[in-house]
Amino acid sequence: MKLPVDQLIRPDILAMKAYPVAAAEGFIKLDAMENPWRLSQDLLVELGRQLAEAHINRYPDPSGGGLKEMLRVAAGIPGNADILLGNGSDEVITLITQALARPGATVMALEPSFVMYKLNAVFSRVNYVGVPLNHDFTLNLPVLLDAIAKNQPAVLFLAYPNNPTGNRYSREDVLAVIEASPGLVVIDEAYGPFSDDSLMELAGSVDNLIVMRTLSKVGLAGIRLGYAAGQPKWIAELDKVRPPYNINVLTQITARFALTHSGVFEEQASALRRERSHLAEALAAYPGVTVYPSEANFLTIRLPEADLLYAWLKSRRILIKNLGGMHPMLENCLRFTVGSPDENRAVIAALDEYFR
Ligand SMILES: *Cc1c(COP(=O)(O)O)cnc(C)c1O
């Protein structure tokens, strides 16, 4: 006799819902912080040529085939830091959590923040402590320092800037948190290219600090490449948990190609920062709309009856993220990924109609 699914799968997994990904066919897609632009025709042709040469019959180079050296230059990773590559930074979060999941260990994160920190704690069966931000999403330093002292987290994940709120905490506060933490502190700089600050220069020299980044938000979400930098003694342990061939052949080639043409992506990031200011200004002019300060490629707003605006935009074939229901502090909040100038104009036209 075969046991049924619900007697074999873990009860906590049975009780979960799968990560929701909205259907976006035919929509202006502004829900997932993707870069709106594809590569130019010339670059696509050249990339196609390189991909055609790929040895897809072979396993990929387990050390990344020169990618780490290129990332070190591109991201300013200090010489005394080692680098861990992940199949997206999602996988880096998983590897860190698995490696630290001693019995009774605690994972800590701020709330609201990136949901994968908590999900991975659940998957690895460790304690999870979420520490609330202030209602305007700023960091409540005394509350966080108290929680650290009380819970002694094995790892604290801190998104800098934060998702889904867009704000960056003050550097002084974050340094105080790193100083006060007994365990590992992971600074998640997924939005680093859109931000005015980075702690990457401290990776390697500050004990128990890992700085994590990704190529996803700058135009390469489809290839899945994230990375973390920290002291060699940490990276060596995390590397034991990593599946040896986690960065596939096509991703390695595409990432090397992109890093060779990094100027293209840097210009796009600058253009998105300019578009972010225009869009923020436009959003703030509508009645009842609060726009939160953002150093990421998205803007989070709060307004009365946000569900109505979300549905209106959807009826206009514009897909944003409705944050209501994700966390009590995000009630009536919507998140707009900053798109191309044309996409943002379409958003503003739809908003003009809605608020008329
Ligand atoms: C998008 C995002 C990630 C995940 O990035 P991938 O590299 O695509 O897995 C990690 N952290 C934060 C805060 C994000 O917003």
Side-chain angles (χ1 to χ4, degrees):
M1 198 196 68
K2 302 290 186 204
L3 289 170
V5 170
D6 64 1
Q7 282 180 33
L8 288 168
I9 299 287
R10 289 162 41 171
D12 53 345
I13 304 292
L14 286 171
M16 287 175 72
K17 290 201 179 75
Y19 188 88
V21 176
E25 186 69 22
F27 279 79
I28 293 180
K29 190 174 185 307
L30 301 174
D31 66 327
M33 283 77 83
E34 292 145 330
N35 174 321
W37 294 291
R38 299 193 62 197
L39 290 176
S40 69
Q41 197 57 35
D42 285 358
L43 289 181
L44 282 177
V45 168
E46 173 56 21
L47 175 60
R49 254 183 9 90
Q50 293 192 17
L51 289 172
E53 310 258 302
H55 292 229
I56 56 174
N57 55 322
R58 302 288 179 197
Y59 283 107
D61 181 337
S63 67
L67 257 183
K68 291 184 196 176
E69 292 69 21
M70 295 182 81
L71 286 169
R72 188 181 294 282
V73 175
I77 300 171
N80 56 357
D82 273 358
I83 301 169
L84 175 78
L85 300 181
N87 188 352
S89 40
D90 280 352
E91 189 186 45
V92 176
I93 297 167
T94 300
L95 299 177
I96 291 170
T97 309
Q98 288 177 339
L100 287 152
R102 290 180 164 220
T106 293
V107 169
M108 183 174 283
L110 291 155
E111 288 195 0
S113 187
F114 192 48
V115 293
M116 296 311 292
Y117 310 143
K118 179 179 182 176
L119 267 182
N120 275 285
V122 170
F123 294 152
S124 278
R125 297 181 191 269
V126 289
N127 306 318
Y128 170 79
V129 176
V131 180
L133 295 169
N134 291 315
H135 278 279
D136 61 358
F137 305 136
T138 53
L139 182 68
N140 190 329
L141 185 62
V143 163
L144 179 54
L145 292 179
D146 267 8
I148 290 170
K150 185 163 153 268
N151 296 283
Q152 300 283 302
V155 54
L156 169 67
F157 288 101
L158 190 148
Y160 186 81
N162 191 35
N163 174 18
T165 61
N167 60 312
R168 178 174 64 74
Y169 315 125
S170 89
R171 185 182 176 99
E172 299 68 52
D173 284 1
V174 174
L175 292 176
V177 169
I178 294 169
E179 176 78 32
S181 293
L184 188 65
V185 178
V186 179
I187 302 297
D188 181 350
E189 295 192 352
Y191 300 96
F194 310 100
S195 169
D196 296 336
D197 193 35
S198 165
L199 298 183
M200 189 56 93
E201 72 204 44
L202 303 179
S205 34
V206 172
D207 214 8
N208 292 13
L209 172 67
I210 298 264
V211 180
M212 191 168 70
R213 286 200 163 201
T214 175
L215 299 189
S216 293
K217 311 295 156 61
V218 288
L220 297 155
I223 71 170
R224 313 300 299 125
L225 187 75
Y227 55 100
Q231 291 183 339
K233 65 185 181 197
W234 278 104
I235 301 297
E237 297 305 322
L238 298 173
D239 210 43
K240 296 177 187 172
V241 189
R242 184 180 62 85
Y245 304 120
N246 63 333
I247 312 300
N248 74 70
V249 170
L250 304 179
T251 293
Q252 292 189 11
I253 291 173
T254 310
R256 282 199 299 269
F257 179 80
L259 290 166
T260 309
H261 298 280
S262 56
V264 173
F265 299 94
E266 281 157 22
E267 272 172 39
Q268 292 175 344
S270 311
L272 289 171
R273 290 166 74 131
R274 287 194 298 275
E275 283 297 307
R276 179 180 70 200
S277 324
H278 297 152
L279 188 58
E281 217 174 291
L283 286 166
Y286 297 111
V289 173
T290 302
V291 183
Y292 292 99
S294 171
E295 289 196 18
N297 63 338
F298 62 86
L299 288 160
T300 293
I301 68 168
R302 196 190 298 269
L303 80 164
E305 302 194 287
D307 289 348
L308 291 183
L309 176 55
Y310 176 78
W312 171 265
L313 291 172
K314 207 164 176 185
S315 75
R316 294 289 178 279
R317 312 302 284 173
I318 295 170
L319 184 65
I320 60 167
K321 181 79 174 177
N322 190 348
L323 299 174
M326 285 182 58
H327 190 277
M329 287 169 70
L330 293 170
E331 206 188 326
N332 278 323
C333 287
L334 301 174
R335 187 184 66 195
F336 294 73
T337 301
V338 178
S340 68
D342 279 353
E343 291 173 332
N344 300 332
R345 265 192 293 277
V347 168
I348 293 169
L351 290 167
D352 282 346
E353 263 191 275
Y354 178 83
F355 283 101
R356 187 155 56 206

